[in-house]
């Protein structure tokens, strides 16, 4: 096996072929030595013909949905030991040429950082507010059930005063674009497979944050063309709720001293930055 500067893992489930091809085109323009591992949780492997157009790609068809984190772990186990950095991407991400190189150079100059996330934008250029505190049960309840009604009362958890204009450390980062130091990712054993979908990114970032820095980096950006499936699909809502239960069973519901300590440190840092 060769050694790579960066490796990528992308998990598909009935994904839009146009979006997948657009993402692979973005990766194909990366100037670093890279390897891509695509795990397809769909029943059909119809998208394989698109993936085979690109170089340095391994396609793995699971034939059924084994879960998001568990699928990424297949790629992490296979390629992360042979790459300096591993990048977890959603299939509906696109980015400009130079984005990955910018993140790579930042990580090269900051060995204490285990994870970095670029600025994530909507298609119209608006910033997606993905840097958050570690959640309490009430935070997730408000965000899922009250915010869609126009009740914007979760400002502290969502760090509404942060302008996304400077490098800062956060204990909770989105899983749509996770740039990870491979040796740290391997040390924490990747994603926890108890999470089928949702909150696996919060859990992973939290475990990485315990042993290294997890940082937002505003000088590189990507576009995330996502839709909130659990807001429109009762089945996905059920999965989301079950993941939240597993998360709080693991970390603590109302008594979570580490959460309180990390959130206090983050708020103090924001106040003094």
């Amino acid at each position: 096996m060769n050694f790579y500067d960066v490796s990528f893992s992308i998990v598909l489930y009935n994904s839009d072929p146009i979006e997948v091809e657009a993402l692979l085109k973005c990766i194909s323009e990366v100037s670093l030595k890279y390897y891509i591992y695509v795990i397809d949780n769909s029943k059909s492997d119809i998208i394989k013909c698109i993936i085979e157009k690109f170089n340095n790609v391994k396609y793995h068809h699971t034939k059924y949905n084994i879960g998001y984190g568990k699928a990424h772990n297949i790629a992490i186990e296979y390629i992360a030991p042979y790459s300096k950095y591993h990048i977890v991407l959603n299939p509906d991400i696109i980015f400009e040429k130079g984005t990955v190189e910018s993140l790579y150079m930042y990580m090269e100059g900051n060995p204490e950082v285990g994870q970095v996330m670029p600025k994530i934008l909507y298609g119209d250029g608006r910033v997606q507010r993905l840097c958050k505190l570690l959640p309490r049960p009430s935070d997730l309840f408000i965000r899922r059930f009250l915010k869609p009604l126009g009740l914007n009362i979760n400002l502290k958890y969502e760090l509404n005063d942060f302008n996304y204009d400077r490098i800062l450390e956060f204990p909770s980062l989105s899983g749509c674009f996770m740039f990870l130091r491979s040796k740290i990712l391997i040390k924490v054993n990747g994603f926890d497979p108890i999470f089928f979908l949702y909150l696996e990114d919060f859990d992973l970032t939290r475990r990485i944050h315990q042993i290294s820095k997890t940082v937002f980096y505003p000088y590189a950006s990507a576009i995330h063309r996502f839709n909130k499936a659990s807001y429109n699909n009762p089945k996905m809502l059920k999965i989301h709720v079950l993941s939240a239960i597993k998360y709080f069973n693991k970390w603590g519901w109302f008594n979570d001293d580490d959460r309180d300590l990390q959130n206090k440190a983050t708020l103090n840092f924001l106040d003094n930055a």
Side-chain angles (χ1 to χ4, degrees), residues 72-91:
H72 273 293
N73 282 346
I74 293 174
I76 291 168
E77 182 178 357
Y78 180 86
I79 192 60
Y82 305 100
S83 61
K84 194 165 190 178
Y85 302 101
H86 185 77
I87 306 174
V88 170
L89 292 175
N90 277 16

Side-chain angles (χ1 to χ4, degrees), residues 236-249:
M236 300 305 289
L237 172 59
K238 180 179 178 181
I239 293 172
H240 203 159
V241 170
L242 288 174
S243 287
I245 291 171
K246 291 175 181 178
Y247 177 87
F248 291 116
N249 281 344

Side-chain angles (χ1 to χ4, degrees), residues 154-173:
N154 217 18
L155 303 182
K156 184 177 179 181
Y157 165 64
E158 297 181 346
L159 302 170
N160 199 58
D161 292 332
F162 180 51
N163 292 323
Y164 287 78
D165 57 355
R166 58 193 186 275
I167 299 171
L168 281 177
E169 184 177 4
F170 292 96
S172 181
L173 298 170

